[in-house]
Amino acid sequence: MKLFAEKILLSTGWHSNQTLTIEDGVITDIASGSVAGAEVAQGPVIPGMVNCHSHAFQRAFAGFSEQGSEGQDSFWTWRNIMYKFLDQLSEQDVQVIAEQLYIEMLTAGYTRVAEFHYLHHNVQGECKNDAAMAKAIFSAAQNSGIGLTLLPVFYQFSGFGAKPPTDGQKRFIHATEDFNQLVEQCFTLSKTYPNTNVGIAPHSLRAVDEQGLHAVVNFVRQLDRKAPIHIHIAEQQQEVNDCLAHYGQRPVQWLHNHVELDKHWCLIHATHINEQERQAIAKTQAVAGICPTTEANLGDGIFPTTEFLQDQGVIAIGSDSHISVNPIEELRWLEYSQRLIRQQRAVLANNEQASVGLNLWTKAALGGAQSTSANVGELAVGKQADLLVLDNTKTALFAKEDKFVIDSLVFASQSNHVQDVMVNGQWQVINQQHPLAKQSAQKFSQLIARLSA
Ligand code: ZN
């Protein structure tokens, strides 16, 4: 197919009047001018956003954990509510939730998601070795049309020092060999689902030990040298304290000293890091996966984004707990948290790129692509056609110059400005409508009614 755009953000910046040729999901040519028979984009075209961190099932209880108890609530009390909730979910339930979530993601402008998937076993906590939960996620991605990077989570313990898992964690736990077997099954499954790939996610340093970590990393590296490896690393101060008490080192410090970090690693919530740790991550080019709205919602803390970008670090954004499913809100919070700390404006821009919005959209899309080892993140010949068409009637209300388009989108849009969404060369959302939205919402609301009964 051919797509003509009056305004398009290519890897080289904004351009006017360009026609993309898209074959088998890939952009094979970009030429100036229009061509007879080309579809016409009804607004500015920009690259789709990658969501680097999702726990799909958590979408089902977004909004269920906002009732306070006189300042006693924290990440850890939230986690108890989450465990109680997930205890009831069958694989069919997980598919219903993930499908609803992925449709919401697409409609908001995410074209690919890295699913940090740790609900492996059935409701009884039995391991059936049939990858049923992973299949539920693959099917949800296929039905919705979003690109998927599935990251089966390796979870051994409830805390540092090989603390035995709690009852609430019974559905996550694997012995190393069983986990590697699941990973192998997921690699095989991925071949039958288009636009998917597989990596792993050792859950955190509190949930895996050194031996287990090396075993799963070595195993996945034999299957695929570029497989993404994601880990929760320093989300909470308590986690840093526990790591110091157990290993005598801070989490990122320990990880950097014990594994070979590289650009295929993604450190999720590297929130509590010191200067040396920050520079170490940037130097290895591992991605810092930041989830601004979840980190705010859970009271985690603020990642030092300003300094990390000055160190030439690579960033990506994730919606994590799905308290918000909106890349625009994530990027807005990313910048605003830095403004509030520093009492300055336009913090996450630089001499090469004065537009905060454009700088963040570009960096997060490219970093997201890196974090998923996917051929996406920018519009150029040879890249997968994952793109968004913005609503012309809405962008027309903002400043006309191209350099303001993404700033207006990120900082001044009150409603959804994403009109059409293409993934892998196929339209998945047209006129803000996903074809399965209605039927998915119906199944999802029935599920929520059952779970909260
Ligand atoms: Zn997470």
Side-chain angles (χ1 to χ4, degrees), residues 41-109:
Q42 299 298 319
V45 175
I46 66 172
M49 185 53 69
V50 177
N51 189 336
C52 78
H53 193 59
S54 161
H55 307 289
F57 70 85
Q58 294 183 9
R59 169 63 183 84
F61 75 100
F64 278 79
S65 57
E66 305 300 321
Q67 313 261 321
S69 50
E70 295 182 349
Q72 298 308 303
D73 295 292
S74 69
F75 169 88
W76 308 100
T77 54
W78 167 85
R79 196 178 71 155
N80 289 338
I81 301 174
M82 188 257 286
Y83 280 2
K84 237 172 96 182
F85 215 89
L86 68 82
D87 228 14
Q88 317 168 51
L89 302 176
S90 69
E91 62 243 37
Q92 289 84 355
D93 297 338
V94 166
Q95 186 173 332
V96 167
I97 298 166
E99 211 167 298
Q100 171 67 18
L101 171 69
Y102 294 165
I103 290 170
E104 290 173 354
M105 282 187 191
L106 283 162
T107 312

Side-chain angles (χ1 to χ4, degrees), residues 342-362:
R342 291 163 176 267
Q343 300 174 40
Q344 285 173 359
R345 297 193 68 253
V347 180
L348 302 177
N350 54 42
N351 290 340
E352 290 95 65
Q353 184 48 264
S355 158
V356 177
L358 183 53
N359 192 37
L360 291 182
W361 192 278
T362 307

Side-chain angles (χ1 to χ4, degrees), residues 46-356:
I46 66 172
M49 185 53 69
V50 177
N51 189 336
C52 78
H53 193 59
S54 161
H55 307 289
F57 70 85
Q58 294 183 9
R59 169 63 183 84
F61 75 100
F64 278 79
S65 57
E66 305 300 321
Q67 313 261 321
S69 50
E70 295 182 349
Q72 298 308 303
D73 295 292
S74 69
F75 169 88
W76 308 100
T77 54
W78 167 85
R79 196 178 71 155
N80 289 338
I81 301 174
M82 188 257 286
Y83 280 2
K84 237 172 96 182
F85 215 89
L86 68 82
D87 228 14
Q88 317 168 51
L89 302 176
S90 69
E91 62 243 37
Q92 289 84 355
D93 297 338
V94 166
Q95 186 173 332
V96 167
I97 298 166
E99 211 167 298
Q100 171 67 18
L101 171 69
Y102 294 165
I103 290 170
E104 290 173 354
M105 282 187 191
L106 283 162
T107 312
Y110 288 118
T111 45
R112 186 175 197 88
V113 58
E115 182 62 39
F116 201 102
H117 166 64
Y118 61 81
L119 198 53
H120 301 304
H121 309 315
N122 68 13
V123 176
Q124 286 75 39
E126 294 156 355
C127 176
K128 286 174 136 188
N129 269 341
D130 59 358
M133 287 292 185
K135 281 183 201 156
I137 300 290
F138 275 120
S139 301
Q142 187 178 38
N143 294 348
S144 71
I146 202 166
L148 173 72
T149 297
L150 185 75
L151 305 166
V153 172
F154 184 46
Y155 210 117
Q156 296 175 288
F157 308 114
S158 71
F160 287 98
K163 260 201 202 148
T166 65
D167 202 43
Q169 295 162 338
K170 66 178 186 283
R171 302 187 68 184
F172 320 157
I173 304 298
H174 271 119
T176 311
E177 276 77 62
D178 295 335
F179 176 75
N180 285 341
Q181 211 179 335
L182 172 68
V183 172
E184 209 163 11
Q185 279 176 295
C186 289
F187 268 84
T188 308
L189 275 173
S190 169
K191 292 190 187 118
T192 64
Y193 292 90
N195 198 17
T196 65
N197 67 338
V198 176
I200 59 165
H203 180 274
S204 56
L205 295 184
R206 63 187 142 87
V208 300
D209 65 8
E210 184 177 352
Q211 206 185 1
L213 179 64
H214 287 307
V216 297
V217 167
N218 292 340
F219 184 80
V220 80
R221 279 279 166 270
Q222 284 166 18
L223 293 176
D224 177 3
R225 207 169 41 83
K226 293 181 181 166
I229 304 176
H230 291 211
I231 185 168
H232 290 136
I233 195 68
E235 182 169 7
Q236 289 285 318
Q237 191 57 52
Q238 186 182 323
E239 194 173 3
V240 178
N241 298 343
D242 291 350
C243 190
L244 274 166
H246 182 69
Y247 283 130
Q249 292 179 31
R250 302 168 57 84
V252 172
Q253 182 188 19
W254 187 92
L255 191 71
H256 184 241
N257 288 336
H258 289 82
V259 301
E260 211 173 309
L261 289 180
D262 61 22
K263 63 179 182 179
H264 303 300
W265 278 79
C266 180
L267 276 49
I268 304 294
H269 313 299
T271 311
H272 299 284
I273 49 175
N274 63 24
E275 194 181 330
Q276 289 77 22
E277 291 176 298
R278 196 189 74 224
Q279 288 168 349
I281 303 170
K283 211 168 161 199
T284 62
Q285 289 294 287
V287 181
I290 313 168
C291 308
T293 61
T294 292
E295 287 157 10
N297 184 271
L298 297 180
D300 288 342
I302 298 171
F303 179 78
T305 314
T306 310
E307 295 83 354
F308 188 67
L309 289 182
Q310 283 163 359
D311 295 337
Q312 310 298 321
V314 181
I315 59 164
I317 53 160
S319 63
D320 192 1
S321 70
H322 315 302
I323 194 69
S324 165
V325 181
N326 182 352
I328 290 159
E329 197 182 5
E330 298 301 339
L331 294 180
R332 193 183 290 164
W333 268 93
L334 192 61
E335 166 70 16
Y336 279 172
S337 60
Q338 299 298 309
R339 290 189 190 188
L340 290 165
I341 295 171
R342 291 163 176 267
Q343 300 174 40
Q344 285 173 359
R345 297 193 68 253
V347 180
L348 302 177
N350 54 42
N351 290 340
E352 290 95 65
Q353 184 48 264
S355 158
V356 177

Side-chain angles (χ1 to χ4, degrees), residues 397-413:
L397 303 180
F398 295 124
K400 288 283 169 289
E401 278 183 74
D402 292 348
K403 67 177 184 184
F404 297 124
V405 172
I406 309 281
D407 287 332
S408 301
L409 179 73
V410 171
F411 296 105
S413 63

